Amino acid sequence: FTTLLGIRLIVNFDSLLQGWVRSIRSQKSNLFLHLNDGSSLQSLQVVASPELNDPSLTFGSAVEVTGVLKKSPHRNQPVELEADQIHVVGECNPVDFPFKTKERHSLEYIRQFPHLRCRTNAFSSLLRVRSEATTAIHSYFKENGFVQIHTPVITSNDCEGAGELFQVEPSSAEVEEGENFFSVPAYLTVSGQLHLEVMSGAFSRVYTFGPTFRAENSQSRRHLAEFHMVEAEVSFTESLEDLTKVMEDMFRSATEHVLAHCAEDVDLFHKHVTPGHRTSYLTLLYIFYYLCYSTELYINFSSSFSQWGCDLQTEHEKYLVKHCGNIPVFVTDYPYDLKPFYARDNKDHPRHSAAAVDLLVPGVGELCGGSLREERLDLLRARLEEVGLEDTYSWYLDLRRFGSVPHGGFGLGFERYLQCILGVDSIKDVIPFPRFSHSCPL
Amino acid sequence: FTTLLGIRLIVNFDSLLQGWVRSIRSQKSNLFLHLNDGSSLQSLQVVASPELNDPSLTFGSAVEVTGVLKKSPHRNQPVELEADQIHVVGECNPVDFPFKTKERHSLEYIRQFPHLRCRTNAFSSLLRVRSEATTAIHSYFKENGFVQIHTPVITSNDCEGAGELFQVEPSSAEVEEGENFFSVPAYLTVSGQLHLEVMSGAFSRVYTFGPTFRAENSQSRRHLAEFHMVEAEVSFTESLEDLTKVMEDMFRSATEHVLAHCAEDVDLFHKHVTPGHRTSYLTLLYIFYYLCYSTELYINFSSSFSQWGCDLQTEHEKYLVKHCGNIPVFVTDYPYDLKPFYARDNKDHPRHSAAAVDLLVPGVGELCGGSLREERLDLLRARLEEVGLEDTYSWYLDLRRFGSVPHGGFGLGFERYLQCILGVDSIKDVIPFPRFSHSCPL
């Protein structure tokens, strides 16, 4: 087969075109169909004699058309298919089918039909963009010498220490009452960071891209119980700039790839699905602003927030991004006490910050969070002892006992990235099957 | 930086080499180090004056070396680094470190140290092969027009109907007693097939590559609670050959890519880790044999197994593969009653088979399982009614109500694939962090 106009054609003696009907127009002398096979937003026009019309030829039905591919007289399509035969493979009752021809349904409306919404233009565009963005991210890391690691979904550690964990046990009586299947309580991962840190004791650069979980009891447009994170860890680095450079480069390279491969799909979102956005605004996202929490942020914005040592709330993040001209903003060197045990101590008393960085972007707020990791055994042990976790993390201390290197890394919320480049308000509209409190259909 | 010999070099005024010490040899006039940074099995030789030696320069320690890169007088290495300075970044006490210089530890031994085993040659080779195989599989699908779908980990359906599910609930009291977080019981996925089938109502070709789960109470060398599956679904197909062609092509393309990018790593396995294998044996894996369960298998092998209608046990699979000359064997058209509700009825009474196919490979047994899916609404509904699942799967029936197309797909066990090409006996040795009954460290 060959791909033409995004339409896959199996060329035998005649051309065979297979796809779903996106529109039908019946004129006196001709029947016009638009067929789509999901390979692009574009449909291919089929021209047939009116005798080939059939009542089962409806919006959403699946058809096979044989015919001859010809140069089209119309400007906006290079070719069209002159049909010899039209065979309806799968009917689609227009009364029962929840989507109607020529209607532009809202993202909220189509979300009610998780098993059918991929058949709309908007959601199939989203899925193509998501697939291309995934490819782009893998390519970026591959081209830059990162080894991909499949970090585990099931884990016995709570990397972030934030609670909100899902626990995992067999559904049937595979284990004795009161015992755990894994002998220890096991959870769904909230981050692959600690497992990547294991690997950064043997590889200069590693990354992972996979599902991550939070048992947050929220149905808001910002929360999912299952989402995707891209996480990277770089060894032999002593500066946050090494990390922010990777974040910047990955962001640019993924966005450029998506625009190069799915321009029409991105355009559909900017023009119709989330109006108010323009594709040109994406170029703004290639400029990054840097703000140090400990110095600039404290001096310039302290009156807008509260005193030094407070975490940034979503509204603060949005304010900062707006104030900087709606471009991505790196905030660096957060107060030490706000950050988890693994963040590297800047040793900058009296204020005392950690070498941590967040990337804030327009419309979304925090897109990435990263830090240098505390590689010094004595400092790390002291901090773990303070919180009584030195036994739980004795394996993690081992990483600093044997050939420890200065290293750091970050995580990017993949759904938030898609929201940012497409301008989509709800995180539920950028993932194939959203899972959140009280919702897990299919 | 630039990559040379697989070693990443940051070229400033001098060359700066960062890595872990794999060997040290101290001679009267020279000190020789071998440094590895994980980018390949190869280490780079560092030549230094004996004064630069230091007691903390031990096997496993992390060092930074500055010096000048020179042409090497030795045949088996194009360049070596003449050191000006050696700085030990992270010490490694050789008494406490579980791996010893120049010892070849068994896979079983290193498995005891899940947080350190990536620092051995064998396991870092495995991780590079795994990373390249992952890249190769994504590339194969991308080049062949498949859209990648992130199918969900948390699901309310049990695709295989085999039990052995993990159930998911928040670990703390996020929900009322007796209620479910998702309102329904939620499980870890055993297959992304049904979610891919949703997508094959809008895309010609889709695939997913992600974690999959079974709550099997086994510690055998064949079982993991968490493993990775590659699953693909092809629309507008009415023949198993369309599916077996994708399996064959993906298998060949992944294996060729791995051999092209990690020849040394594969070789290490074949020569030392799993002796008895030869890399040349991989070419045998490019020839595929086809056997129809319903005709050939029944006629030629029935005395070796039991009567028609019985499933193949692992020992039968191995016997078949051996009998066919230790090449991959497709077994097609299994008895209908052995297959899940979604398998397409061949309507070949009186024997009654389903359009299902398994791919059996040497050393492993079943590597892939696939089938055409029952796309005919009436037949599918009848079968679901028989087992009382027509309400549970009303959404799945919807897929056949609206623009249904003949389609099929398959799943490949990624760890089994790695076992097959590397000749590794235990599945625990081909995954970064194995999870199984009574074992979930880290």
Side-chain angles (χ1 to χ4, degrees), chain B residues 69-327:
Chain B
L69 206 64
K70 294 207 165 163
K71 191 169 179 306
S72 173
H74 302 284
R75 266 206 325 186
N76 52 351
Q77 50 183 33
V79 289
E80 59 186 30
L81 192 77
E82 214 175 270
D84 297 326
Q85 280 185 14
I86 300 178
H87 170 52
V88 177
V89 177
E91 303 186 4
C92 184
N93 182 329
V95 178
D96 299 336
F97 194 50
F99 311 129
K100 307 303 171 195
T101 182
K102 289 186 182 163
E103 252 184 65
R104 203 178 292 288
H105 304 287
S106 72
L107 291 177
E108 204 160 6
Y109 174 78
I110 67 171
R111 206 191 293 152
Q112 299 171 79
F113 310 97
H115 59 311
L116 298 173
R117 69 172 170 165
C118 59
R119 305 184 187 206
T120 64
N121 279 337
F123 208 68
S124 67
S125 280
L126 180 276
L127 290 170
R128 276 188 298 274
V129 169
R130 194 177 160 109
S131 179
E132 286 297 342
T134 304
T135 299
I137 287 168
H138 282 299
S139 299
Y140 170 78
F141 283 116
K142 171 81 186 150
E143 282 157 19
N144 287 278
F146 285 75
V147 173
Q148 185 182 359
I149 302 292
H150 292 119
T151 52
V153 164
I154 301 176
T155 175
S156 50
N157 81 58
D158 173 13
C159 171
E160 296 297 307
E164 298 174 338
L165 295 170
F166 285 109
Q167 192 163 351
V168 173
E169 282 299 335
S171 65
S172 56
E174 286 279 323
V175 282
E176 301 282 309
E177 187 71 29
E179 268 188 25
N180 296 116
F181 178 87
F182 293 108
S183 296
V184 292
Y187 311 103
L188 297 186
T189 185
V190 295
S191 163
Q193 179 197 317
L194 302 187
H195 298 100
L196 281 187
E197 282 193 71
V198 164
M199 298 305 166
S200 63
F203 298 94
S204 298
R205 308 180 136 210
V206 288
Y207 82 103
T208 189
F209 185 169
T212 317
F213 307 85
R214 292 280 190 292
E216 266 182 303
N217 205 342
S218 166
Q219 303 192 297
S220 90
R221 60 178 193 79
R222 295 178 53 83
H223 292 99
L224 287 175
E226 175 178 348
F227 53 97
H228 278 72
M229 285 243 285
V230 178
E231 296 180 272
E233 203 70 28
V234 180
S235 295
F236 294 104
T237 178
E238 297 177 56
S239 83
L240 282 181
E241 283 69 40
D242 284 353
L243 301 182
T244 56
K245 186 175 182 324
V246 175
M247 291 187 229
E248 278 197 24
D249 288 352
M250 178 182 65
F251 188 99
R252 265 194 219 103
S253 133
T255 308
E256 278 166 11
H257 177 102
V258 166
L259 287 176
H261 289 80
C262 302
E264 284 177 332
D265 297 310
V266 174
D267 227 42
L268 178 81
F269 268 81
H270 291 172
K271 281 205 183 115
H272 301 297
V273 185
T274 56
H277 280 90
R278 287 284 169 275
T279 307
S280 60
Y281 109 104
L282 285 177
T283 57
L284 268 185
L285 299 180
Y286 294 172
I287 306 150
F288 293 77
Y289 194 83
Y290 283 76
L291 254 182
C292 173
Y293 182 113
S294 283
T295 55
E296 295 117 313
L297 185 66
Y298 177 61
I299 291 159
N300 299 318
F301 298 95
S302 58
S303 61
S304 317
F305 311 134
S306 41
Q307 72 225 51
W308 198 94
C310 286
D311 211 355
L312 298 181
Q313 303 302 311
T314 305
E315 57 265 36
H316 301 145
E317 293 173 352
K318 291 197 171 169
Y319 173 87
L320 274 178
V321 167
K322 207 171 169 189
H323 182 90
C324 294
N326 272 314
I327 60 170

Side-chain angles (χ1 to χ4, degrees), chain A residues 1 8 18-20 36-38 60-64 89-93 96-98 114-116 118-119 124 127-128 130-132 134-135 138 142 144-157 165-172 174 179-184 186-188 195 198-205 209 211 213 215-217 225-226 228 235-236 238 257 261 395 398-399 401-406 414 432-433 435-442, chain B residues 1 8 18-20 36-38 60-64 89-93 96-98 114-116 118-119 124 127-128 130-132 134-135 138 142 144-157 164-172 174 179-184 186-188 195 198-205 209 211 213 215-217 225-226 228 235-236 238 257 261 395 398-399 401-406 414 432-433 435-442:
Chain A
F1 62 84
R8 188 165 305 113
Q18 301 167 316
W20 292 269
N36 186 283
D37 72 351
S61 60
V63 299
E64 289 184 343
V89 176
E91 303 187 5
C92 184
N93 182 329
D96 298 336
F97 194 50
H115 59 310
L116 298 173
C118 59
R119 305 185 186 205
S124 68
L127 290 169
R128 277 188 298 273
R130 196 177 158 106
S131 179
E132 286 297 341
T134 305
T135 299
H138 283 299
K142 171 82 184 148
N144 287 278
F146 285 75
V147 173
Q148 187 181 359
I149 302 292
H150 291 119
T151 53
V153 165
I154 301 176
T155 175
S156 50
N157 80 58
L165 294 170
F166 285 109
Q167 192 164 352
V168 173
E169 283 297 335
S171 65
S172 56
E174 286 279 324
E179 266 188 28
N180 296 116
F181 179 87
F182 293 108
S183 295
V184 292
Y187 311 102
L188 297 186
H195 298 100
V198 164
M199 299 305 167
S200 62
F203 298 94
S204 299
R205 307 179 138 210
F209 185 169
F213 307 84
E216 266 181 304
N217 204 340
E226 175 178 347
H228 277 72
S235 295
F236 295 104
E238 298 178 54
H257 178 102
H261 290 79
W395 65 268
D398 264 5
L399 304 182
R401 270 190 199 102
F402 305 116
S404 179
V405 299
F414 182 59
F433 299 94
R435 273 77 177 90
F436 50 93
S437 165
H438 299 297
S439 184
C440 183
L442 278 63
Chain B
F1 61 86
R8 189 163 306 112
Q18 302 167 316
W20 292 270
N36 187 282
D37 72 351
S61 60
V63 299
E64 288 184 344
V89 177
E91 303 186 4
C92 184
N93 182 329
D96 299 336
F97 194 50
H115 59 311
L116 298 173
C118 59
R119 305 184 187 206
S124 67
L127 290 170
R128 276 188 298 274
R130 194 177 160 109
S131 179
E132 286 297 342
T134 304
T135 299
H138 282 299
K142 171 81 186 150
N144 287 278
F146 285 75
V147 173
Q148 185 182 359
I149 302 292
H150 292 119
T151 52
V153 164
I154 301 176
T155 175
S156 50
N157 81 58
E164 298 174 338
L165 295 170
F166 285 109
Q167 192 163 351
V168 173
E169 282 299 335
S171 65
S172 56
E174 286 279 323
E179 268 188 25
N180 296 116
F181 178 87
F182 293 108
S183 296
V184 292
Y187 311 103
L188 297 186
H195 298 100
V198 164
M199 298 305 166
S200 63
F203 298 94
S204 298
R205 308 180 136 210
F209 185 169
F213 307 85
E216 266 182 303
N217 205 342
E226 175 178 348
H228 278 72
S235 295
F236 294 104
E238 297 177 56
H257 177 102
H261 289 80
W395 66 269
D398 264 4
L399 305 181
R401 268 189 200 104
F402 304 116
S404 181
V405 299
F414 182 59
F433 299 94
R435 273 79 179 88
F436 50 93
S437 167
H438 299 297
S439 185
C440 184
L442 280 59

Side-chain angles (χ1 to χ4, degrees), chain A residues 209-388:
Chain A
F209 185 169
T212 318
F213 307 84
R214 292 280 189 294
E216 266 181 304
N217 204 340
S218 166
Q219 303 191 300
S220 89
R221 60 178 192 78
R222 295 178 54 83
H223 292 98
L224 287 175
E226 175 178 347
F227 53 98
H228 277 72
M229 285 243 286
V230 178
E231 296 180 272
E233 202 71 25
V234 180
S235 295
F236 295 104
T237 178
E238 298 178 54
S239 82
L240 282 180
E241 283 68 42
D242 284 355
L243 300 182
T244 56
K245 186 174 180 332
V246 175
M247 293 187 227
E248 278 196 27
D249 288 352
M250 178 182 67
F251 187 100
R252 264 194 219 101
S253 134
T255 308
E256 277 165 11
H257 178 102
V258 166
L259 287 177
H261 290 79
C262 302
E264 283 177 333
D265 297 310
V266 174
D267 227 42
L268 178 80
F269 268 81
H270 290 173
K271 281 206 184 114
H272 301 299
V273 185
T274 56
H277 280 89
R278 288 284 168 276
T279 306
S280 61
Y281 109 104
L282 285 177
T283 57
L284 269 185
L285 299 179
Y286 293 173
I287 306 152
F288 294 76
Y289 194 83
Y290 283 75
L291 254 182
C292 173
Y293 183 112
S294 283
T295 55
E296 296 117 312
L297 185 66
Y298 177 61
I299 291 159
N300 299 318
F301 298 95
S302 58
S303 62
S304 315
F305 311 135
S306 40
Q307 72 226 50
W308 198 92
C310 286
D311 212 353
L312 298 182
Q313 303 303 312
T314 305
E315 57 265 35
H316 301 145
E317 294 173 352
K318 290 198 171 166
Y319 172 86
L320 275 178
V321 167
K322 208 171 168 188
H323 182 88
C324 296
N326 273 314
I327 60 170
V329 178
F330 284 112
V331 180
T332 62
D333 301 297
Y334 279 80
Y336 183 77
D337 291 332
L338 290 181
K339 292 294 163 183
F341 68 85
Y342 52 72
R344 194 175 199 270
D345 192 339
N346 274 336
K347 289 275 184 191
D348 54 348
H349 291 292
R351 255 190 214 137
H352 202 192
S353 64
V357 56
D358 280 356
L359 173 59
L360 316 177
V361 294
V364 166
E366 185 187 337
L367 176 67
C368 299
S371 71
L372 298 181
R373 321 305 189 185
E374 188 55 79
E375 88 282 8
R376 293 160 293 188
L377 179 60
D378 50 342
L379 289 176
L380 183 63
R381 184 162 43 203
R383 191 160 197 195
L384 282 169
E385 278 169 2
E386 256 177 53
V387 287

